[in-house]
Amino acid sequence: RVQERISSPSIAIDCRGCGNSDLGDPDDFTTDALVADVKSVVDSHPLLQKKCFVLVGHSMGGRIAMCYAAKYPEDISALVIEDMDIRRRTVESNFIPNFDETKALSFEKSHPNLDSLRKAFGEIGYPSDMVDKWVREGRVYEHGSEGQYWSDVHPAFRALCYRRIFDSNSGSACWNAIEQHYAKSNAVKVHLLVAGIGSVCEEESINEMIECMPATTSVKTYPNGYHSLHGSVMEEFLCDLNEIIADAKSSHLQGKL
């Protein structure tokens, strides 16, 4: 629904393990691999080839977007981070109690029925109300002709994100690399969009991000927005995103003149 109302053509990428993308070998799940996945799309898709674009990342996708911008700054016309900061998150800080990482890594996304899928999530540690939420959002849904159910959510993605990416200094390292490139030119704007309710961001970390690039970074908090701003305050989010896209397009054209 969000893509349909963006003012410019757009591409949504399912990170490995998410949506219809395969998880692949868990041993290959690294920051570099996730960034390389995005780069392969950029280099192969006609909409993105040899063009600057606005990169938007939500939650873990926000961290991947930061890492991409740090490695390929010349690709970006604007960077939008939706409810994610740069602080380190330990494996133990996973907010799901008794999270079973072993079962998460062996999770099957296709199940014969919804009850089977609910049971699999429950054995990993997910509360039933979270699964209900995914059903309402369309992230867990019926597919096939015999009542099978599919989950766009892969618990292994969460487990590996904490172990390989969040529980590291990659956030700060990427942000410092971005600063070294963007702060010199002031040509690329960075937008931090923060949820006002249940945000995963810490104020201290957001302030650190702003202080690193005060001239190029803006921050907006959505008082009525939850972690998924694009879903909880869609109208306001879309208005802001379309404005960011228009501004980036205008700035890019002016830079070419």
Side-chain angles (χ1 to χ4, degrees), residues 88-96 99 101 158-168:
R88 182 171 189 158
R89 292 168 167 80
T90 64
V91 172
E92 292 74 24
S93 68
N94 189 335
F95 72 86
I96 298 176
F99 185 84
E101 185 171 321
R158 180 183 189 85
L160 292 168
C161 283
Y162 267 88
R163 188 162 296 282
R164 304 282 177 78
I165 299 171
F166 279 148
D167 199 356
S168 72

Side-chain angles (χ1 to χ4, degrees), residues 66 69 77-82 84-86 174-194 203 205-221 244 247:
M66 295 178 205
S77 60
L79 179 62
V80 182
I81 306 299
E82 181 186 349
M84 178 50 59
D85 57 20
I86 59 175
C174 289
W175 202 251
N176 289 333
I178 293 171
E179 186 274 335
Q180 291 177 18
H181 179 84
Y182 292 162
K184 294 176 182 177
S185 64
N186 288 339
V188 175
K189 301 299 182 183
V190 179
H191 304 269
L192 307 180
L193 310 183
V194 182
E203 183 176 358
S205 184
I206 292 293
N207 289 338
E208 180 183 349
M209 296 169 78
I210 298 170
E211 290 169 3
C212 191
M213 293 183 287
T216 58
T217 303
S218 67
V219 59
K220 176 176 179 178
T221 299
I244 290 169
D247 180 67

Side-chain angles (χ1 to χ4, degrees), residues 52-128:
C52 290
F53 53 87
V54 177
L55 181 60
V56 183
H58 166 247
S59 193
M60 179 59 205
R63 184 64 66 88
I64 297 170
M66 295 178 205
C67 294
Y68 185 95
K71 190 168 185 178
Y72 302 107
E74 66 281 355
D75 288 355
I76 310 300
S77 60
L79 179 62
V80 182
I81 306 299
E82 181 186 349
D83 209 48
M84 178 50 59
D85 57 20
I86 59 175
R87 67 186 172 89
R88 182 171 189 158
R89 292 168 167 80
T90 64
V91 172
E92 292 74 24
S93 68
N94 189 335
F95 72 86
I96 298 176
N98 303 315
F99 185 84
D100 192 322
E101 185 171 321
T102 300
K103 289 183 177 179
L105 292 173
S106 62
F107 178 81
E108 295 290 339
K109 300 181 73 175
S110 180
H111 281 254
N113 52 60
L114 182 55
D115 286 342
S116 173
L117 191 50
R118 287 183 183 279
K119 180 180 178 182
F121 276 124
E123 289 176 347
I124 292 169
Y126 286 98
S128 59

